[in-house]
Amino acid sequence: EQMILSNFSEADKQRIRFVHVIDVYNDVKWVELVKSLVEGVVKPQDKVGLIGHFKDDSSYYLKFFPEWEMVELDSMQGSMSATPAREAYYRGDIQADAFPAGTINFLQSFQNTSIYQQLQDKFLTQDKSNLP
């Protein structure tokens, strides 16, 4: 939340709400959970939007909320996808040209936390186990 909000003005921050959704490996239950959580943070006059990109078959869930306005983003050609960005980050490299300034500041600060160190250790251990 902090990382995302760091890229918005104070006025925009007042309009943004987050809900924390656990993975429920059942699409029907997951959709019900998401809708319930969203209903818990919005007022009747609020607009709810869904922002996403139909990248491939893994984007199927974007069609689960037809009652929300869909803002479909174009493919971010030439931009880094999440997996390589995450791998670089846990190797200690932040791709500064791939993120907004607020995100860079957050990622740099987070590298100085014990949680980052734990995640990095876990990543590096898994990464080494995948070597031939």
Side-chain angles (χ1 to χ4, degrees), residues 4 13 38 54 74 118 124 131-132:
I4 292 168
K13 288 178 186 179
V38 169
F54 290 98
D74 292 331
Q118 292 170 6
L124 293 173
L131 294 175

Side-chain angles (χ1 to χ4, degrees), residues 6 10 12 16 18-20 23-24 26 32 34 44 46 52 54 64 68 71 81 85 90-92 97 115 131:
S6 71
E10 289 304 315
D12 285 338
I16 299 170
F18 292 87
V19 294
H20 300 255
D23 276 338
V24 179
N26 175 306
E32 289 173 4
V34 169
D46 290 341
F54 290 98
F64 289 165
W68 296 342
V71 178
S81 68
Y90 286 125
R91 288 191 180 101
D97 58 338
I115 296 171
L131 294 175

Side-chain angles (χ1 to χ4, degrees), residues 28-39:
V28 173
K29 289 181 180 180
W30 182 78
V31 169
E32 289 173 4
L33 178 61
V34 169
K35 289 180 181 181
S36 171
L37 290 167
V38 169
E39 287 173 8

